[in-house]
Amino acid sequence: MVLASLPAQVAGDPSAAVVRFLGSVLLAFAAGTFGYYAVRNRRLDRLESQQPFWRYLGLVGATAGAFGLLGVAGVVVESRALTAFGHGALLLCIVFLAFSMREVYYNSALAPPPDEQRFSLATLRRVEAGFVAVILVEWVAVLLIDQTAVAELVKGVGSLAFAAYGLVFAEKLESMARGTSLDTLRRHLMPVLASLGGIGLADLGGVAGVSPVVVGAVENVFVVLVAGFLITATIRLQQNVEGLSA
């Protein structure tokens, strides 16, 4: 979300401010519930190979919740720090969700043998370290340099790249986990990942000169979509907890 321009937008369009506020509140609530059930699954699941997957989903809930809370704060006050942490929370949320898909693909019993893997896990971890470096660059650009166009460009491109990375592994998992509980959860998480990437796509529209009002409206739509998809994914997590507790 482009929090730095938010107060001006709020003053000019109260209805957009209300939508943004409610969407951010809904996202914070949905993310908190999602994170809670992800932690419950981690505690109940006895498969060691699944532990990193649940850990990443717990981090997804935490960072998505932080993004929602920062969005609520951004409706009220203009702050470069809020902008920086909001961008960072969004990018980390996408990264953790993408990592969860990669973790299952490479580290579970479903993983293909090493000689059938196109890229080694070590290679991908180096790529992922680059993802984290991109997040740090974007965070510094917002917090210290105040280069709005650079920040929006890095956030937009990074969001789409990270989301695409996760969706590639989600698709790979389809043929491996079809019909399993993991496959059901994967299908619920894919729209979350795509919608998170959509928030960054809106920022690219801002860089391209699209009206800030249109950019803000598109972001609001994707924030609400993320919250809604997290709710449906949470229902699946809750069902999985019930199954593990039986």
Side-chain angles (χ1 to χ4, degrees):
M1 300 175 75
V2 191
L3 299 177
S5 59
L6 195 52
Q9 294 177 25
V10 170
D13 190 356
S15 61
V18 171
V19 173
R20 190 178 294 265
F21 179 85
L22 294 177
S24 296
V25 169
L26 179 61
L27 175 57
F29 173 79
T33 309
F34 177 89
Y36 169 76
Y37 280 106
V39 172
R40 289 283 308 278
N41 273 277
R42 182 189 173 196
R43 291 176 177 174
L44 291 171
D45 196 334
R46 297 182 179 180
L47 292 176
E48 186 64 29
S49 61
Q50 297 284 7
Q51 292 301 305
F53 174 67
W54 298 122
R55 186 183 305 115
Y56 278 128
L57 290 190
L59 291 171
V60 167
T63 50
F67 180 61
L69 291 174
L70 289 164
V72 172
V75 174
V76 181
V77 61
E78 180 177 1
S79 168
R80 193 185 300 176
L82 284 177
T83 304
F85 284 106
H87 287 192
L90 173 66
L91 292 172
L92 285 174
C93 181
I94 300 173
V95 163
F96 289 142
L97 189 50
F99 287 2
S100 72
M101 297 296 179
R102 185 267 300 152
E103 197 69 34
V104 172
Y105 182 76
Y106 274 91
N107 288 341
S108 74
L110 300 172
D115 58 344
E116 295 182 12
Q117 296 172 0
R118 185 175 181 181
F119 299 103
S120 68
L121 184 56
T123 298
L124 289 177
R125 289 193 188 280
R126 287 193 290 271
V127 172
E128 292 165 3
F131 288 174
V132 176
V134 168
I135 295 173
L136 290 175
V137 169
E138 203 276 348
W139 188 81
V140 171
V142 177
L143 189 62
L144 301 180
I145 306 174
D146 194 25
Q147 292 291 327
T148 303
V150 173
E152 290 180 356
L153 180 63
V154 174
K155 176 189 168 192
V157 173
S159 297
L160 291 175
F162 303 163
Y165 179 80
L167 288 171
V168 166
F169 285 108
E171 286 296 327
K172 288 178 179 292
L173 284 170
E174 180 178 7
S175 60
M176 297 165 54
R178 184 172 299 164
T180 66
S181 59
L182 175 62
D183 181 48
T184 304
L185 180 56
R186 177 197 64 84
R187 285 188 280 109
H188 285 303
L189 292 174
M190 286 181 67
V192 177
L193 194 54
S195 297
L196 286 167
I199 298 175
L201 180 62
D203 276 332
L204 291 181
V207 175
V210 177
S211 167
V213 174
V214 175
V215 171
V218 173
E219 287 181 347
N220 288 342
V221 169
F222 279 115
V223 167
V224 173
L225 284 175
V226 171
F229 289 134
L230 277 176
I231 290 173
T232 59
T234 299
I235 294 172
R236 185 66 192 89
L237 287 178
Q238 183 180 13
Q239 292 171 343
N240 204 57
V241 165
E242 294 172 354
L244 292 171
S245 301

